[in-house]
Amino acid sequence: QYKRPKLDWGAFYDSFQKEVEEEGDQDEETPDLFGGKRYVEDAQGEQSIAYEQDQTLHFQYKKKYILTSVKSGLMLIDQRQAHIRILFDQFLSQIQNRKGVSQRILFPEVVDFSPSEASMMPYIMEDLEAVGFDLGDLGGGSYSINGIPSEVSHIDATLLVKSMLSRSIETGSDVKDEIQESLAFSMAESAAINYGRELSEEEMEKIVNQLFSSSQQKYTPSGKAIITMISDDVLDKMFR
């Protein structure tokens, strides 16, 4: 006659519970692809974000926006506006600290200015040199461009110098700080990445980390928004 074997249910449960706990431990060790962020509040109580570079992933949308997850929802970053802010801070620091790096031009270019433009050149020459330009006064309102900042080597140097001079004249100010900011902004707009450029994960990571190192991460120098947020609550309502 068949007899049902006796089972040690206590030992069976203990073994099962151990497996569950081990799986739970493994889940806890699984890296959070969008994690690695620390949140701090500034003096106004607004939340800013510090990224840990080795854990955060970013995604590009329409070759225009960088998407990343944050504690309160989904963050969208305008890649060009973000780059303008980053370069503006960089160029302004170079001008103020006289630390620009110049790249020599194999065949120097000549730029001609009108009398009104030429009269403004002495006021900005020092700052142009500080950011990396090497200009020679040829007389008669003409200047030779012998070197340019290494960061803008892919840009038409003649057009850039004229644009920077025009913006300085438009400010209508003889205040040194305003002239320096005008020059830095002109260079940043000219050198910043354009929409339609595909970015690698490394490039997006660099932009995001440099942006959040800025004290003015939300807006460009001209006041355009760089960041927008879609909260978790809004996202949840979209799927109800």
Side-chain angles (χ1 to χ4, degrees):
Q1 184 179 359
Y2 172 77
K3 292 183 179 180
R4 184 186 299 273
K6 293 183 179 181
L7 297 176
D8 187 348
W9 291 105
F12 177 78
Y13 175 79
D14 291 341
S15 176
F16 174 77
Q17 185 66 19
K18 182 179 179 181
E19 291 179 3
V20 171
E21 291 174 352
E22 288 176 350
E23 290 178 358
D25 292 340
Q26 291 176 356
D27 290 341
E28 290 176 0
E29 293 175 358
T30 301
D32 179 0
L33 296 180
F34 293 97
K37 309 174 187 71
R38 297 185 301 275
Y39 295 82
V40 295
E41 291 189 349
D42 57 22
Q44 289 73 39
E46 294 186 2
Q47 194 179 69
S48 59
I49 305 168
Y51 288 86
E52 292 183 2
Q53 299 183 16
D54 59 342
Q55 292 186 359
T56 306
L57 288 181
H58 312 289
F59 299 90
Q60 189 180 28
Y61 179 69
K62 298 286 187 179
K63 297 182 180 180
K64 187 174 183 179
Y65 302 107
I66 298 172
L67 280 64
T68 190
S69 175
V70 294
K71 186 177 182 180
S72 56
L74 181 65
M75 176 178 288
L76 291 84
I77 302 172
D78 185 306
Q79 66 185 45
R80 174 168 169 77
Q81 305 300 354
H83 202 207
I84 288 175
R85 164 51 67 184
I86 292 165
L87 291 178
F88 172 81
D89 292 348
Q90 175 183 322
F91 290 139
L92 185 59
S93 176
Q94 289 178 354
I95 291 174
Q96 293 174 341
N97 297 301
R98 303 291 186 258
K99 291 184 177 180
V101 178
S102 181
Q103 178 174 307
R104 300 289 295 180
I105 296 178
L106 185 59
F107 301 104
E109 300 181 36
V110 176
V111 56
D112 299 312
F113 297 114
S114 66
S116 60
E117 291 174 330
S119 65
M120 182 65 181
M121 281 298 291
Y123 294 97
I124 67 171
M125 275 289 288
E126 184 179 353
D127 291 332
L128 288 174
E129 292 172 353
V131 84
F133 280 97
D134 180 3
L135 303 178
D137 187 353
L138 302 177
S142 297
Y143 286 79
S144 62
I145 304 176
N146 306 309
I148 59 176
S150 57
E151 295 87 354
V152 296
S153 59
H154 61 289
I155 296 173
D156 187 312
T158 300
L159 291 178
L160 178 57
V161 171
K162 275 187 165 292
S163 173
M164 295 172 69
L165 180 61
S166 295
R167 186 180 291 275
S168 296
I169 294 175
E170 288 172 5
T171 61
S173 174
D174 58 358
V175 179
K176 195 71 171 176
D177 289 346
E178 291 188 14
I179 293 176
Q180 291 178 344
E181 289 178 2
S182 177
L183 294 176
F185 185 53
S186 294
M187 289 185 62
E189 279 197 315
S190 298
I193 56 175
N194 288 314
Y195 301 123
R197 175 179 166 180
E198 185 173 350
L199 301 176
S200 66
E201 171 63 27
E202 290 75 17
E203 288 174 323
M204 289 187 285
E205 180 77 9
K206 184 176 181 180
I207 288 174
V208 171
N209 285 316
Q210 288 183 335
L211 176 64
F212 282 96
S213 295
S214 171
S215 60
Q216 301 291 333
Q217 56 197 229
K218 294 181 179 179
Y219 300 98
T220 67
S222 61
K224 293 182 179 179
I226 298 174
I227 297 169
T228 190
M229 284 286 302
I230 302 177
S231 68
D232 286 337
D233 290 341
V234 172
L235 286 171
D236 289 342
K237 289 178 182 178
M238 291 179 179
F239 295 95
R240 289 175 182 170

